[in-house]
Amino acid sequence: MSMTYISLSCFHTSVIVLYIPLVGLFRVARFDLMGNAKALHRGTSDRNWLHVLFLYRRKKGKTYRSRSHAELKNKIGMSVNKYTFSGHESFPCKTLWLKKGYDFIRHGNSFNAANAVVKLGVGKNMVASIRYWMRSFALTHNDELQPIAHYLFDPETGKDPFMEDLGTLWLLHFFLVNSCEATIYHLLFIPFQKERKSFERLHMLHFIKRVMTEDGKQSQFNENTIKKDIGTLLLNYVLPKKAKALDDYNALLIDLDLIRMDADGKSYLFNIEGKRQIPWQIFLYAVLELKGSDNSVGYDLLQEIGLIFCMNDMEVIDMCKIIEAHHIDDVRYSDTAGIRQLQFLNPLCSEEVLNEYYG
């Protein structure tokens, strides 16, 4: 057994890894802005991962417990380890809830405290919902603020504390889908969208039941709970036809216009053509977060990242070419003999890419 210490100035973060090599192979890990460990070893299967016993992140002199390997497996193309369809109390994430939750935690408050209702200025169920959305958007882990939360919302250095920039909404949408803390968002935008571009609520319900059955988790399937989760998801993204109150237009992600309701009010479609434009820096950030240490990113992964943002194949290809144009010395898009890929000639730091966007 040995100990490896890695310093990563790019993220102002340090890592200590205590590990046992398995079958002669090992991996070391680094942290990204979300506080996740990311493998730097290339070419081994999941079963050959090092067994991480202790993984800590140190930042500004304070030590935090980081996520275990099991919690970090949920990347694109991998199965869901834990199915979570409740916790939001049937409330979509309201526009300023994430900022409200950030300030609440930053000032040393606890969601479990009796005065949380007074401090947040909302009802008890909404307190639970804010806590849920902070976790689902990967802004907290075990109610501790993650680096990306400070990056966005810090009152002095935060890039977009009040989420006035559309790029921030795209970034938060990516976190919501990729974190898998709220399982339905990952299932809807990636595997479900691969099968159909228009749908009804019942289609989603049957799809989720099928996925859980195939995964041997059918005993965890609760129809009423998942119906409520589907309803909350649609409230997050779909502009209501007949709003009962102005607050119905206050869901955080509605402005992305990713899902639209048909005139009949029963059918929905992924808004591939009419959605808001995603900044190339946010797309590149997503690629960097998901590619690991690979210098070449195959089109399968690029396509699935495109699904997160409701992009068709042509949009994904155009986006790759735009990224190449902005980082001509670092990135190349190639399409040779039908093999499409994005090649990284030099390492890029995801935080620096975000800085390019926010300026």
Side-chain angles (χ1 to χ4, degrees):
M1 183 182 296
S2 60
M3 183 175 289
T4 301
Y5 180 83
I6 307 166
S7 178
L8 296 169
S9 59
C10 176
F11 292 96
H12 312 291
T13 303
S14 297
V15 178
I16 294 178
V17 182
L18 185 65
Y19 64 85
I20 299 174
L22 296 181
V23 294
L25 297 171
F26 68 94
R27 291 187 176 195
V28 293
R30 68 175 173 83
F31 279 93
D32 59 18
L33 275 168
M34 294 173 63
N36 292 339
K38 301 185 75 176
L40 298 182
H41 186 277
R42 181 180 178 186
T44 60
S45 65
D46 182 67
R47 63 179 177 273
N48 290 330
W49 270 66
L50 68 92
H51 177 60
V52 178
L53 298 180
F54 299 98
L55 190 58
Y56 291 91
R57 176 172 57 83
R58 288 184 174 178
K59 183 176 175 63
K60 297 181 180 179
K62 188 173 182 180
T63 301
Y64 299 93
R65 175 73 191 195
S66 292
R67 302 182 187 184
S68 67
H69 167 64
E71 292 170 300
L72 298 172
K73 281 177 63 180
N74 294 333
K75 295 300 183 184
I76 285 181
M78 294 186 181
S79 62
V80 176
N81 287 321
K82 180 182 177 182
Y83 292 90
T84 303
F85 299 104
S86 62
H88 44 66
E89 305 294 331
S90 296
F91 291 108
C93 186
K94 303 297 183 179
T95 301
L96 293 178
W97 274 11
L98 299 183
K99 171 62 174 172
K100 187 187 290 283
Y102 172 83
D103 291 338
F104 176 80
I105 298 172
R106 189 175 65 88
H107 288 112
N109 297 300
S110 170
F111 288 107
N112 294 320
N115 66 349
V117 171
V118 177
K119 292 281 187 178
L120 286 167
V122 297
K124 184 177 180 181
N125 288 348
M126 287 188 179
V127 170
S129 187
I130 292 173
R131 185 183 196 177
Y132 168 87
W133 289 119
M134 291 291 291
R135 180 175 69 252
S136 297
F137 280 101
L139 300 175
T140 61
H141 178 63
N142 292 334
D143 290 339
E144 293 179 347
L145 292 169
Q146 297 297 288
I148 189 63
H150 296 295
Y151 181 86
L152 291 173
F153 300 133
D154 186 280
E156 295 181 1
T157 62
K159 299 298 184 181
D160 191 14
F162 298 101
M163 292 167 286
E164 299 169 302
D165 196 301
L166 191 66
T168 302
L169 298 187
W170 280 115
L171 188 63
L172 290 169
H173 165 73
F174 168 71
F175 292 152
L176 179 61
V177 174
N178 188 54
S179 75
C180 288
E181 291 287 347
T183 311
I184 197 170
Y185 295 85
H186 178 90
L187 293 178
L188 176 80
F189 281 97
I190 302 176
F192 182 74
Q193 191 185 171
K194 283 182 179 178
E195 293 190 4
R196 55 171 66 239
K197 298 301 182 185
S198 61
F199 60 92
E200 297 179 5
R201 294 179 185 227
L202 199 60
H203 293 139
M204 288 181 62
L205 184 69
H206 290 164
F207 176 81
I208 293 169
K209 185 176 183 178
R210 190 184 84 211
V211 167
M212 294 181 71
T213 300
E214 292 173 351
D215 201 21
K217 303 290 179 64
Q218 61 267 32
S219 62
Q220 299 179 22
F221 181 83
N222 184 299
E223 184 170 319
N224 289 331
T225 299
I226 294 174
K227 280 182 177 179
K228 291 178 182 178
D229 203 22
I230 292 170
T232 303
L233 179 149
L234 294 173
L235 288 174
N236 269 320
Y237 288 99
V238 180
L239 189 68
K241 294 286 187 183
K242 296 179 181 178
K244 297 178 181 178
L246 287 176
D247 194 52
D248 292 343
Y249 295 102
N250 199 26
L252 177 65
L253 300 175
I254 279 181
D255 284 347
L256 295 180
D257 201 14
L258 288 178
I259 302 175
R260 287 186 176 179
M261 182 193 301
D262 278 352
D264 61 9
K266 297 179 180 179
S267 301
Y268 302 87
L269 57 89
F270 293 102
N271 187 21
I272 308 297
E273 304 299 332
K275 65 182 178 297
R276 304 294 290 274
Q277 184 67 37
I278 177 173
W280 65 266
Q281 297 94 333
I282 304 301
F283 187 92
L284 176 56
Y285 175 86
V287 173
L288 293 173
E289 288 297 293
L290 294 176
K291 78 179 185 67
S293 61
D294 291 348
N295 292 325
S296 296
V297 182
Y299 194 69
D300 286 347
L301 178 57
L302 293 172
Q303 204 170 34
E304 291 191 325
I305 294 172
L307 287 172
I308 293 177
F309 300 117
C310 290
M311 300 167 67
N312 59 33
D313 283 355
M314 188 55 65
E315 287 178 295
V316 172
I317 293 170
D318 289 344
M319 183 66 74
C320 291
K321 292 177 179 178
I322 291 171
I323 291 170
E324 179 185 33
H326 284 278
H327 280 275
I328 191 66
D329 294 328
D330 304 312
V331 183
R332 288 283 191 279
Y333 172 72
S334 65
D335 184 352
T336 306
I339 300 175
R340 300 169 179 171
Q341 58 183 352
L342 200 61
Q343 297 176 323
F344 287 82
L345 310 179
N346 296 301
L348 289 176
C349 174
S350 55
E351 183 179 1
E352 292 174 358
V353 169
L354 287 185
N355 289 339
E356 284 187 61
Y357 177 72
Y358 287 107

